[in-house]
Amino acid sequence: MIGGNESCTAGPIPMSYLTCLTDILGEWTGVEHIEDYLSYAVYLTWLLFPLVVVFLLPGVLVILFYTSILFLHIYKRKNELKEAYSNDFWDGAKLMLATLWDGHGRIWHGYELHGAENIPEGPGLIVFYHGATPVDYIYFMARLLIQRKRYCHVVADHFVFRLPGFKILLDVHGVMHGPKEECVNALKKGRLIAIAPGGVREALFSDEMYTIIWGNRKGFAQVAIDGKVPIIPMFTQNVREGIRTLGGIKILRSLYERYRLPLVPLYGGFPVKLRTFIGEPIPYEPNTTAEELTEKTKAAIQALIEKHQKIPGNIFRALMERFQTQKKED
């Protein structure tokens, strides 16, 4: 009869230890043929692993957001004694966060910014297509700050201001609620502002066809007219392939339209190629109405989508574009 110690050392080393551990686990649990259950568990693990990953990867963005918030709190405490002697208290923090996000964009998405020369030196209103998350805008803002020392404020949906812990992040970056008067005043002060007219609805319910969902929104056009500034169209290639939504589920759309609850699950976090394209500015014309300017802006963004995005979007193709150096021109 072979003893326990002898059975653990007999035969090929990898198999003997695995057999030994299986026997010990079987004796401890009292389950016969436990190796069959373990094999099935391993099979389920490999089967479900990709599904788990695509729902967990978007959490990386949440971690980066809260890392940014934690950094700002630390920065504030460390430098609070110097606040009275500095007019640009948060400049260092903004540059550090820009470096953090730009590094993430470079490594994970090979992020590129094209057409930054189309952004005027003075005030302007950037209008962009909203992906499932605004991560492409964050990469754009970071790259713009690092390369051109320009800062771009953004208009965010009201629910963003109710997210726990986000207040300091929104305050430091000058994120705006979006009342027309606030935006016009900011433009008259020479600031650069960005807005996605589609907002949360476009983020959650557009799809790989890159459908622009603006509804009847034209307030942004009136802001540009009142501020007497140009509108600069912007679009990010493959933005919907990086993170996608389950917005095609009708009950989720109904809940949002009725209660404004953005309860649509996100999945993905894929390291697809992201390229942001800045189109030619639409100049201010005093005789243009808000309706006309809205249509011009929508057409300009649609033109950027048609020029730089293959429709329908494809995750595998977007991943392969990480290895390409030429951007799509037609």
Side-chain angles (χ1 to χ4, degrees):
M1 181 176 178
I2 300 176
N5 291 337
E6 190 175 354
S7 65
C8 288
T9 57
I13 293 177
M15 183 61 70
S16 63
Y17 277 102
L18 180 61
T19 303
C20 180
L21 291 173
T22 302
D23 291 342
I24 292 173
L25 187 60
E27 292 177 3
W28 181 57
T29 60
V31 177
E32 296 183 358
H33 306 295
I34 195 171
E35 62 275 8
D36 295 334
Y37 293 97
L38 292 176
S39 297
Y40 185 64
V42 171
Y43 168 74
L44 285 180
T45 299
W46 281 105
L47 181 66
L48 298 177
F49 180 74
L51 184 64
V52 172
V53 167
V54 298
F55 280 99
L56 288 181
L57 280 177
V60 174
L61 297 178
V62 178
I63 292 173
L64 276 175
F65 274 120
Y66 279 101
T67 300
S68 301
I69 292 167
L70 176 62
F71 169 79
L72 289 176
H73 280 292
I74 295 172
Y75 183 89
K76 183 178 180 180
R77 292 287 176 255
K78 182 179 179 181
N79 294 276
E80 60 186 359
L81 295 178
K82 301 178 182 179
E83 184 173 9
Y85 305 98
S86 175
N87 294 324
D88 302 310
F89 176 68
W90 290 113
D91 279 0
K94 290 178 182 178
L95 188 57
M96 284 293 294
L97 291 185
T99 303
L100 170 69
W101 283 96
D102 187 62
H104 183 270
R106 286 176 183 272
I107 295 170
W108 196 246
H109 293 291
Y111 179 75
E112 298 176 10
L113 175 60
H114 298 272
E117 64 277 3
N118 289 325
I119 299 175
E121 293 298 326
L125 183 64
I126 293 176
V127 178
F128 64 98
Y129 171 86
H130 203 312
T133 70
V135 67
D136 60 313
Y137 166 76
I138 298 173
Y139 295 151
F140 157 74
M141 180 185 67
R143 186 69 57 86
L144 189 69
L145 181 61
I146 292 171
Q147 291 187 348
R148 299 189 59 184
K149 309 304 179 186
R150 290 292 306 276
Y151 192 77
C152 183
H153 298 266
V154 67
V155 178
D157 192 272
H158 294 292
F159 93 91
V160 175
F161 294 87
R162 296 193 292 268
L163 294 174
F166 265 56
K167 185 178 186 302
I168 188 172
L169 185 66
L170 302 177
D171 289 345
V172 169
H173 286 289
V175 178
M176 308 167 69
H177 285 83
K180 185 178 73 171
E181 295 76 13
E182 181 185 5
C183 295
V184 172
N185 289 336
L187 291 172
K188 288 182 177 179
K189 292 178 181 178
R191 294 176 181 173
L192 189 64
I193 298 177
I195 185 171
V200 176
R201 184 179 286 105
E202 187 170 80
L204 298 180
F205 303 111
S206 186
D207 53 24
E208 65 273 14
M209 300 305 293
Y210 286 82
T211 305
I212 296 175
I213 306 176
W214 289 5
N216 295 320
R217 293 184 177 179
K218 54 182 180 291
F220 72 92
Q222 191 61 54
V223 166
I225 292 171
D226 293 345
K228 300 180 180 179
V229 299
I231 285 181
I232 306 100
M234 183 173 84
F235 170 72
T236 299
Q237 183 186 60
N238 296 326
V239 67
R240 298 210 75 89
E241 275 55 73
I243 294 180
R244 287 191 171 178
T245 73
L246 298 180
I249 301 176
K250 292 183 178 180
I251 189 172
L252 298 179
R253 180 68 180 265
S254 299
L255 285 173
Y256 177 78
E257 297 297 347
R258 185 169 183 176
Y259 302 107
R260 290 297 183 267
L261 295 176
L263 300 179
V264 178
L266 307 179
Y267 69 96
F270 306 112
V272 300
K273 184 68 177 182
L274 293 183
R275 296 184 179 98
T276 293
F277 295 92
I278 311 294
E280 294 184 2
I282 303 172
Y284 163 70
E285 296 179 1
N287 296 325
T288 301
T289 66
E291 290 78 8
E292 292 171 340
L293 186 55
T294 298
E295 290 305 315
K296 285 184 179 180
T297 306
K298 189 173 183 179
I301 298 226
Q302 186 64 51
L304 287 176
I305 293 174
E306 292 175 358
K307 183 176 183 181
H308 300 293
Q309 182 65 54
K310 293 180 180 178
I311 303 294
N314 180 279
I315 294 174
F316 179 75
R317 182 176 62 231
L319 287 169
M320 292 300 98
E321 287 177 2
R322 290 294 300 271
F323 304 100
Q324 299 175 4
T325 56
Q326 297 296 321
K327 60 180 181 294
K328 179 180 180 291
E329 293 295 343
D330 300 311

